[in-house]
Protein backbone atom coordinates (compact mmCIF):
# COMPACT_ATOMS: atom_id res chain seq x y z
CA UNK A 1 0.00 0.00 0.00
CA UNK A 2 2.96 2.34 0.48
CA UNK A 3 3.46 2.37 -3.29
CA UNK A 4 0.14 4.11 -3.91
CA UNK A 5 0.22 7.88 -4.03
CA UNK A 6 -1.63 9.96 -1.48
CA UNK A 7 -5.35 9.97 -2.14
CA UNK A 8 -5.81 6.23 -2.63
CA UNK A 9 -7.83 4.35 -0.04
CA UNK A 10 -8.08 0.63 0.63
CA UNK A 11 -11.59 -0.72 0.97
CA UNK A 12 -13.13 -4.01 1.94
CA UNK A 13 -16.31 -3.09 0.05
CA UNK A 14 -16.04 -4.25 -3.54
CA UNK A 15 -19.00 -2.08 -4.49
CA UNK A 16 -16.83 1.00 -3.83
CA UNK A 17 -13.69 -0.18 -5.60
CA UNK A 18 -12.19 1.41 -8.70
CA UNK A 19 -9.45 -1.20 -8.83
CA UNK A 20 -8.72 -4.67 -7.52
CA UNK A 21 -5.33 -6.14 -6.63
CA UNK A 22 -5.47 -9.94 -6.58
CA UNK A 23 -3.18 -12.95 -6.33
CA UNK A 24 -5.04 -16.26 -6.46
CA UNK A 25 -8.56 -15.40 -5.29
CA UNK A 26 -11.26 -16.71 -7.64
CA UNK A 27 -13.15 -13.78 -9.17
CA UNK A 28 -15.49 -15.83 -11.37
CA UNK A 29 -18.23 -15.80 -8.74
CA UNK A 30 -17.80 -12.10 -7.95
CA UNK A 31 -20.29 -9.54 -9.25
CA UNK A 32 -18.22 -6.76 -10.79
CA UNK A 33 -19.57 -3.35 -9.70
CA UNK A 34 -20.08 -0.48 -12.14
CA UNK A 35 -17.37 1.46 -10.32
CA UNK A 36 -14.69 -1.12 -11.15
CA UNK A 37 -12.24 0.07 -13.80
CA UNK A 38 -9.34 -2.36 -13.57
CA UNK A 39 -8.01 -5.58 -12.03
CA UNK A 40 -4.29 -6.18 -11.51
CA UNK A 41 -3.11 -9.74 -10.95
CA UNK A 42 0.15 -10.05 -8.99
CA UNK A 43 1.44 -12.89 -11.15
CA UNK A 44 1.44 -14.01 -14.76
CA UNK A 45 -1.53 -16.38 -14.86
CA UNK A 46 -5.05 -14.95 -15.01
CA UNK A 47 -7.13 -18.13 -15.00
CA UNK A 48 -8.81 -16.93 -11.78
CA UNK A 49 -10.25 -13.87 -13.56
CA UNK A 50 -13.24 -13.87 -15.98
CA UNK A 51 -11.40 -12.09 -18.79
CA UNK A 52 -14.18 -12.01 -21.37
CA UNK A 53 -16.77 -10.74 -18.90
CA UNK A 54 -14.37 -8.02 -17.81
CA UNK A 55 -13.68 -7.03 -21.41
CA UNK A 56 -17.36 -6.64 -22.19
CA UNK A 57 -17.71 -4.30 -19.19
CA UNK A 58 -14.65 -2.25 -20.12
CA UNK A 59 -12.61 -3.51 -17.18
CA UNK A 60 -8.89 -3.65 -18.00
CA UNK A 61 -7.10 -6.72 -16.62
CA UNK A 62 -3.36 -6.55 -15.95
CA UNK A 63 -0.82 -9.21 -15.10
CA UNK A 64 2.86 -8.97 -14.14
CA UNK A 65 4.96 -10.89 -16.67
CA UNK A 66 8.62 -11.16 -15.80
CA UNK A 67 8.28 -10.08 -12.18
CA UNK A 68 8.80 -13.67 -11.02
CA UNK A 69 11.21 -14.62 -13.82
CA UNK A 70 14.33 -14.95 -11.69
CA UNK A 71 12.58 -17.14 -9.12
CA UNK A 72 11.34 -19.53 -11.80
CA UNK A 73 14.74 -19.53 -13.52
CA UNK A 74 16.46 -20.64 -10.33
CA UNK A 75 13.97 -23.45 -9.76
CA UNK A 76 14.42 -24.65 -13.35
CA UNK A 77 18.17 -24.94 -12.76
CA UNK A 78 17.49 -26.86 -9.54
CA UNK A 79 15.14 -29.13 -11.51
CA UNK A 80 17.85 -29.92 -14.06
CA UNK A 81 20.16 -30.94 -11.24
CA UNK A 82 17.42 -33.14 -9.78
CA UNK A 83 17.18 -34.83 -13.18
CA UNK A 84 20.92 -35.28 -13.62
CA UNK A 85 21.77 -36.35 -10.09
CA UNK A 86 19.49 -38.68 -8.15
CA UNK A 87 19.37 -36.26 -5.24
CA UNK A 88 15.80 -37.20 -4.37
CA UNK A 89 16.60 -40.92 -4.27
CA UNK A 90 19.69 -40.35 -2.15
CA UNK A 91 17.82 -38.21 0.36
CA UNK A 92 15.04 -40.78 0.60
CA UNK A 93 17.65 -43.50 1.28
CA UNK A 94 19.16 -41.45 4.09
CA UNK A 95 15.74 -40.84 5.66
CA UNK A 96 14.93 -44.55 5.46
CA UNK A 97 18.22 -45.45 7.18
CA UNK A 98 18.27 -42.64 9.72
CA UNK A 99 18.24 -45.09 12.63
CA UNK A 100 21.22 -47.08 11.32
CA UNK A 101 24.14 -46.59 13.78
CA UNK A 102 26.58 -47.51 10.99
CA UNK A 103 25.04 -45.14 8.44
CA UNK A 104 28.40 -43.50 7.72
CA UNK A 105 29.77 -46.83 6.44
CA UNK A 106 26.50 -47.83 4.80
CA UNK A 107 26.45 -44.62 2.77
CA UNK A 108 29.73 -45.51 1.10
CA UNK A 109 28.20 -48.74 -0.21
CA UNK A 110 24.81 -47.29 -1.14
CA UNK A 111 25.84 -44.08 -2.90
CA UNK A 112 26.77 -45.87 -6.13
CA UNK A 113 23.06 -46.53 -6.63
CA UNK A 114 22.45 -42.79 -6.87
CA UNK A 115 25.25 -41.83 -9.21
CA UNK A 116 24.27 -39.37 -11.91
CA UNK A 117 25.95 -37.12 -14.42
CA UNK A 118 26.91 -33.47 -14.74
CA UNK A 119 24.96 -30.92 -16.75
CA UNK A 120 28.07 -29.21 -18.10
CA UNK A 121 28.43 -30.15 -21.76
CA UNK A 122 24.85 -31.37 -22.05
CA UNK A 123 22.32 -29.87 -24.45
CA UNK A 124 19.35 -27.87 -23.23
CA UNK A 125 16.36 -26.95 -25.37
CA UNK A 126 14.35 -23.90 -24.29
CA UNK A 127 10.89 -23.59 -25.84
CA UNK A 128 9.70 -20.01 -25.47
CA UNK A 129 12.18 -17.16 -25.09
CA UNK A 130 10.20 -14.69 -23.03
CA UNK A 131 11.29 -13.22 -19.71
CA UNK A 132 11.85 -16.62 -18.07
CA UNK A 133 13.11 -18.54 -21.09
CA UNK A 134 15.84 -15.99 -21.81
CA UNK A 135 17.11 -16.12 -18.23
CA UNK A 136 17.14 -19.93 -18.27
CA UNK A 137 18.97 -20.03 -21.62
CA UNK A 138 21.58 -17.48 -20.50
CA UNK A 139 22.40 -19.12 -17.17
CA UNK A 140 22.59 -22.53 -18.84
CA UNK A 141 25.23 -21.12 -21.20
CA UNK A 142 27.15 -19.87 -18.16
CA UNK A 143 26.96 -23.37 -16.67
CA UNK A 144 28.66 -24.78 -19.75
CA UNK A 145 25.61 -26.23 -21.48
CA UNK A 146 24.95 -26.11 -25.22
CA UNK A 147 21.63 -24.30 -25.54
CA UNK A 148 19.02 -24.46 -28.29
CA UNK A 149 16.25 -21.87 -28.24
CA UNK A 150 12.93 -21.95 -30.09
CA UNK A 151 10.50 -19.04 -30.29
CA UNK A 152 8.99 -17.90 -33.59
CA UNK A 153 7.49 -14.86 -31.84
CA UNK A 154 10.54 -13.68 -29.91
CA UNK A 155 10.42 -10.00 -29.03
CA UNK A 156 13.17 -7.55 -29.94
CA UNK A 157 13.93 -7.05 -26.25
CA UNK A 158 14.32 -10.78 -25.64
CA UNK A 159 16.48 -11.18 -28.73
CA UNK A 160 18.83 -8.44 -27.51
CA UNK A 161 18.98 -10.02 -24.03
CA UNK A 162 19.81 -13.50 -25.30
CA UNK A 163 23.44 -14.57 -25.17
CA UNK A 164 24.91 -15.04 -28.62
CA UNK A 165 25.96 -18.60 -27.75
CA UNK A 166 22.29 -19.69 -27.73
CA UNK A 167 21.57 -21.58 -30.93
CA UNK A 168 18.39 -20.48 -32.70
CA UNK A 169 16.25 -23.45 -33.75
CA UNK A 170 13.83 -22.62 -36.55
CA UNK A 171 12.00 -25.91 -36.04
CA UNK A 172 11.01 -27.69 -32.85
CA UNK A 173 12.17 -30.94 -34.40
CA UNK A 174 15.80 -29.75 -34.30
CA UNK A 175 15.49 -29.00 -30.60
CA UNK A 176 13.73 -32.28 -29.87
CA UNK A 177 16.29 -34.39 -31.74
CA UNK A 178 19.38 -32.91 -30.11
CA UNK A 179 18.64 -31.98 -26.51
CA UNK A 180 19.20 -33.91 -23.30
CA UNK A 181 16.97 -31.51 -21.37
CA UNK A 182 13.88 -29.72 -22.66
CA UNK A 183 12.16 -26.95 -20.70
CA UNK A 184 8.92 -25.29 -21.76
CA UNK A 185 8.16 -21.59 -21.18
CA UNK A 186 5.16 -20.67 -23.32
CA UNK A 187 1.60 -19.63 -22.43
CA UNK A 188 -1.26 -22.10 -22.68
CA UNK A 189 -3.16 -21.32 -25.90
CA UNK A 190 -5.19 -23.37 -28.35
CA UNK A 191 -1.94 -23.92 -30.29
CA UNK A 192 0.25 -24.93 -27.34
CA UNK A 193 -2.09 -27.04 -25.17
CA UNK A 194 -0.85 -30.62 -25.23
CA UNK A 195 2.13 -29.70 -27.42
CA UNK A 196 4.35 -32.18 -25.55
CA UNK A 197 2.51 -35.28 -26.71
CA UNK A 198 3.32 -38.71 -28.10
CA UNK A 199 4.36 -37.31 -31.48
CA UNK A 200 6.66 -34.71 -29.93
CA UNK A 201 8.19 -37.18 -27.49
CA UNK A 202 8.87 -39.63 -30.31
CA UNK A 203 11.19 -37.03 -31.87
CA UNK A 204 13.18 -36.62 -28.66
CA UNK A 205 16.37 -38.41 -27.66
CA UNK A 206 16.01 -41.58 -25.62
CA UNK A 207 16.39 -40.75 -21.93
CA UNK A 208 15.45 -37.09 -22.36
CA UNK A 209 14.50 -35.00 -19.32
CA UNK A 210 11.42 -32.78 -19.68
CA UNK A 211 10.75 -29.79 -17.42
CA UNK A 212 7.44 -27.95 -17.20
CA UNK A 213 7.30 -24.78 -15.09
CA UNK A 214 4.92 -22.92 -17.40
CA UNK A 215 1.44 -24.50 -17.52
CA UNK A 216 0.21 -28.00 -16.76
CA UNK A 217 -1.88 -28.07 -19.95
CA UNK A 218 1.19 -27.92 -22.19
CA UNK A 219 1.92 -31.61 -21.56
CA UNK A 220 -0.33 -34.48 -22.56
CA UNK A 221 -0.26 -36.35 -19.27
CA UNK A 222 -1.29 -39.76 -20.62
CA UNK A 223 1.44 -39.63 -23.26
CA UNK A 224 4.03 -38.47 -20.70
CA UNK A 225 3.11 -41.29 -18.30
CA UNK A 226 3.56 -43.78 -21.13
CA UNK A 227 6.95 -42.31 -22.07
CA UNK A 228 8.17 -42.42 -18.47
CA UNK A 229 7.03 -46.01 -18.08
CA UNK A 230 8.91 -47.09 -21.22
CA UNK A 231 12.05 -45.11 -20.33
CA UNK A 232 11.86 -42.90 -23.42
CA UNK A 233 11.70 -39.98 -20.96
CA UNK A 234 14.13 -40.34 -18.05
CA UNK A 235 12.56 -37.73 -15.79
CA UNK A 236 9.59 -35.41 -15.96
CA UNK A 237 9.68 -32.53 -13.50
CA UNK A 238 6.59 -30.39 -13.23
CA UNK A 239 5.51 -27.57 -10.93
CA UNK A 240 1.87 -28.62 -11.24
CA UNK A 241 0.56 -31.32 -8.96
CA UNK A 242 -2.55 -33.24 -9.97
CA UNK A 243 -3.68 -36.88 -9.58
CA UNK A 244 -2.16 -37.86 -12.92
CA UNK A 245 1.30 -36.37 -12.40
CA UNK A 246 1.78 -37.59 -8.83
CA UNK A 247 1.09 -41.13 -10.02
CA UNK A 248 3.68 -41.06 -12.83
CA UNK A 249 6.74 -43.26 -12.58
CA UNK A 250 9.99 -41.21 -12.50
CA UNK A 251 8.16 -37.89 -12.26
CA UNK A 252 9.21 -35.31 -9.71
CA UNK A 253 6.25 -33.13 -8.83
CA UNK A 254 6.78 -29.77 -7.13
CA UNK A 255 3.84 -27.99 -5.42
CA UNK A 256 3.75 -24.88 -7.62
CA UNK A 257 6.79 -23.21 -6.06
CA UNK A 258 8.04 -21.45 -9.20
CA UNK A 259 7.22 -17.95 -8.00
CA UNK A 260 7.12 -18.71 -4.28
CA UNK A 261 9.91 -16.51 -3.02
CA UNK A 262 9.66 -13.38 -0.91
CA UNK A 263 11.42 -11.40 -3.63
CA UNK A 264 9.13 -12.64 -6.37
CA UNK A 265 5.95 -11.91 -4.44
CA UNK A 266 7.18 -8.40 -3.67
CA UNK A 267 8.16 -7.79 -7.30
CA UNK A 268 4.77 -8.97 -8.58
CA UNK A 269 2.85 -6.86 -6.07
CA UNK A 270 4.90 -3.75 -6.84
CA UNK A 271 4.45 -4.16 -10.59
CA UNK A 272 0.71 -4.70 -10.18
CA UNK A 273 0.42 -1.51 -8.12
CA UNK A 274 2.35 0.52 -10.70
CA UNK A 275 0.22 -0.79 -13.57
CA UNK A 276 -3.06 -0.17 -11.77
CA UNK A 277 -2.11 3.30 -10.57
CA UNK A 278 -0.79 4.42 -13.98
CA UNK A 279 -4.06 3.35 -15.58
CA UNK A 280 -6.29 5.00 -13.00
CA UNK A 281 -4.20 8.21 -12.88
CA UNK A 282 -3.15 8.57 -16.52
CA UNK A 283 -5.14 6.09 -18.58
CA UNK A 284 -1.96 4.27 -19.63
CA UNK A 285 -2.14 0.52 -20.18
CA UNK A 286 0.89 -1.72 -19.66
CA UNK A 287 0.75 -5.52 -19.60
CA UNK A 288 -2.98 -5.89 -20.11
CA UNK A 289 -4.27 -9.30 -21.11
CA UNK A 290 -7.49 -8.05 -22.71
CA UNK A 291 -6.88 -4.54 -24.09
CA UNK A 292 -3.95 -3.15 -26.09
CA UNK A 293 -1.02 -1.56 -24.33
CA UNK A 294 -0.87 2.21 -24.81
CA UNK A 295 1.40 4.73 -23.09
CA UNK A 296 0.55 8.40 -23.59
CA UNK A 297 2.56 9.64 -20.63
CA UNK A 298 1.08 12.34 -18.41
CA UNK A 299 -1.63 14.58 -19.84
CA UNK A 300 -0.34 18.08 -20.61
CA UNK A 301 -3.66 19.58 -21.74
CA UNK A 302 -6.88 20.52 -19.97
CA UNK A 303 -8.35 17.03 -19.91
CA UNK A 304 -7.90 13.41 -21.02
CA UNK A 305 -10.72 11.07 -22.09
CA UNK A 306 -10.35 7.29 -22.21
CA UNK A 307 -12.58 5.18 -24.47
CA UNK A 308 -12.61 1.38 -24.32
CA UNK A 309 -14.50 -0.04 -27.27
CA UNK A 310 -14.90 -2.83 -29.78
CA UNK A 311 -12.47 -2.96 -32.69
CA UNK A 312 -15.04 -2.22 -35.42
CA UNK A 313 -15.10 0.03 -38.51
CA UNK A 314 -15.84 3.74 -38.05
CA UNK A 315 -15.26 3.69 -34.32
CA UNK A 316 -12.86 6.61 -34.49
CA UNK A 317 -15.23 8.37 -36.86
CA UNK A 318 -18.01 8.17 -34.28
CA UNK A 319 -15.73 9.47 -31.52
CA UNK A 320 -14.27 12.40 -33.45
CA UNK A 321 -17.68 13.33 -34.85
CA UNK A 322 -19.09 13.74 -31.35
CA UNK A 323 -16.13 15.84 -30.29
CA UNK A 324 -16.38 18.03 -33.36
CA UNK A 325 -20.11 18.55 -33.07
CA UNK A 326 -19.70 19.49 -29.40
CA UNK A 327 -16.96 21.98 -30.37
CA UNK A 328 -14.28 20.15 -28.34
CA UNK A 329 -10.77 20.42 -29.78
CA UNK A 330 -8.66 17.25 -29.69
CA UNK A 331 -4.99 18.13 -29.09
CA UNK A 332 -3.70 14.54 -29.37
CA UNK A 333 -5.43 11.26 -30.13
CA UNK A 334 -3.96 7.83 -29.40
CA UNK A 335 -5.54 4.62 -30.66
CA UNK A 336 -4.53 0.98 -30.44
CA UNK A 337 -6.41 -2.23 -31.23
CA UNK A 338 -5.96 -5.81 -30.12
CA UNK A 339 -8.07 -8.55 -31.62
CA UNK A 340 -11.70 -7.81 -30.73
CA UNK A 341 -11.04 -4.76 -28.57
CA UNK A 342 -9.51 -1.31 -28.97
CA UNK A 343 -8.53 1.66 -26.85
CA UNK A 344 -8.61 5.39 -27.61
CA UNK A 345 -7.12 8.16 -25.48
CA UNK A 346 -7.79 11.80 -26.26
CA UNK A 347 -6.04 14.81 -24.78
CA UNK A 348 -8.45 17.70 -25.24
CA UNK A 349 -8.12 21.47 -24.82
CA UNK A 350 -11.46 22.17 -23.16
CA UNK A 351 -13.64 20.29 -20.72
CA UNK A 352 -16.06 17.75 -22.11
CA UNK A 353 -19.71 18.49 -21.43
CA UNK A 354 -22.10 16.02 -19.84
CA UNK A 355 -24.01 15.90 -23.12
CA UNK A 356 -20.90 15.00 -25.13
CA UNK A 357 -19.93 12.38 -22.56
CA UNK A 358 -23.33 10.70 -22.83
CA UNK A 359 -23.16 10.79 -26.62
CA UNK A 360 -19.76 9.07 -26.54
CA UNK A 361 -21.09 6.42 -24.18
CA UNK A 362 -24.00 5.82 -26.53
CA UNK A 363 -21.76 5.21 -29.56
CA UNK A 364 -22.13 1.84 -31.25
CA UNK A 365 -19.46 -0.55 -29.92
CA UNK A 366 -18.50 1.64 -26.95
CA UNK A 367 -17.81 -0.26 -23.73
CA UNK A 368 -16.69 2.46 -21.33
CA UNK A 369 -15.85 6.16 -21.40
CA UNK A 370 -13.89 7.72 -18.55
CA UNK A 371 -12.65 11.20 -17.77
CA UNK A 372 -9.07 10.51 -16.68
CA UNK A 373 -8.21 14.12 -15.89
Amino acid sequence: TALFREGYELTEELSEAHGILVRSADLFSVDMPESLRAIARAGAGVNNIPIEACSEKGIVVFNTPGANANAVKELVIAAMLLCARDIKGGMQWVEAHASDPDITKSVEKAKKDFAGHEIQGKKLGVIGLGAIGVLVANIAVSLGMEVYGYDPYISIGSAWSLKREVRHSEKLSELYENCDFITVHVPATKDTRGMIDRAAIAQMKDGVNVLNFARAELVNEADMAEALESGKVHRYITDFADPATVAMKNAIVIPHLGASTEESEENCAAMAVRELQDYLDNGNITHSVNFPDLDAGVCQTTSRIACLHLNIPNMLGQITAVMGEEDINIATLYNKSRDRYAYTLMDIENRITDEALERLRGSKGMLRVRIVK
Side-chain angles (χ1 to χ4, degrees), residues 112-188:
K112 66 179 182 296
D113 294 332
F114 310 110
H117 55 76
E118 298 173 15
I119 62 175
Q120 181 176 332
K122 301 302 187 294
K123 296 177 181 179
L124 169 67
V126 182
I127 303 174
L129 295 168
I132 297 171
V134 166
L135 292 182
V136 170
N138 287 347
I139 196 171
V141 169
S142 299
L143 290 170
M145 302 186 78
E146 185 177 342
V147 182
Y148 291 68
Y150 174 83
D151 191 336
Y153 310 107
I154 187 170
S155 69
I156 294 174
S158 291
W160 276 106
S161 301
L162 204 60
K163 287 188 175 181
R164 63 181 180 179
E165 292 90 345
V166 177
R167 179 170 178 167
H168 175 225
S169 294
E170 295 187 359
K171 296 181 179 180
L172 270 174
S173 56
E174 179 189 11
L175 185 148
Y176 288 152
E177 291 165 4
N178 286 283
C179 293
D180 306 291
F181 298 83
I182 293 172
T183 182
V184 190
H185 300 285
V186 298

Side-chain angles (χ1 to χ4, degrees), residues 27-184:
L27 299 185
F28 276 88
S29 59
V30 172
D31 290 328
M32 303 296 178
E34 289 298 318
S35 62
L36 187 62
R37 299 168 182 172
I39 299 171
R41 158 82 164 97
V46 290
N47 57 341
N48 58 321
I49 302 171
I51 303 299
E52 192 59 32
C54 288
S55 301
E56 291 297 325
K57 291 184 175 183
I59 299 171
V60 180
V61 179
F62 299 92
N63 68 347
T64 56
N68 59 11
N70 187 70
V72 179
K73 173 206 74 177
E74 292 184 359
L75 195 57
V76 170
I77 299 303
M80 282 199 291
L81 293 171
L82 288 172
C83 289
R85 311 284 293 273
D86 191 6
I87 299 169
K88 179 183 176 183
M91 292 174 66
Q92 289 174 332
W93 184 92
V94 171
E95 290 175 358
H97 294 78
S99 60
D100 182 358
D102 295 321
I103 192 170
T104 303
K105 293 182 179 179
S106 301
V107 161
E108 294 306 312
K109 295 180 181 179
K111 68 180 184 180
K112 66 179 182 296
D113 294 332
F114 310 110
H117 55 76
E118 298 173 15
I119 62 175
Q120 181 176 332
K122 301 302 187 294
K123 296 177 181 179
L124 169 67
V126 182
I127 303 174
L129 295 168
I132 297 171
V134 166
L135 292 182
V136 170
N138 287 347
I139 196 171
V141 169
S142 299
L143 290 170
M145 302 186 78
E146 185 177 342
V147 182
Y148 291 68
Y150 174 83
D151 191 336
Y153 310 107
I154 187 170
S155 69
I156 294 174
S158 291
W160 276 106
S161 301
L162 204 60
K163 287 188 175 181
R164 63 181 180 179
E165 292 90 345
V166 177
R167 179 170 178 167
H168 175 225
S169 294
E170 295 187 359
K171 296 181 179 180
L172 270 174
S173 56
E174 179 189 11
L175 185 148
Y176 288 152
E177 291 165 4
N178 286 283
C179 293
D180 306 291
F181 298 83
I182 293 172
T183 182
V184 190

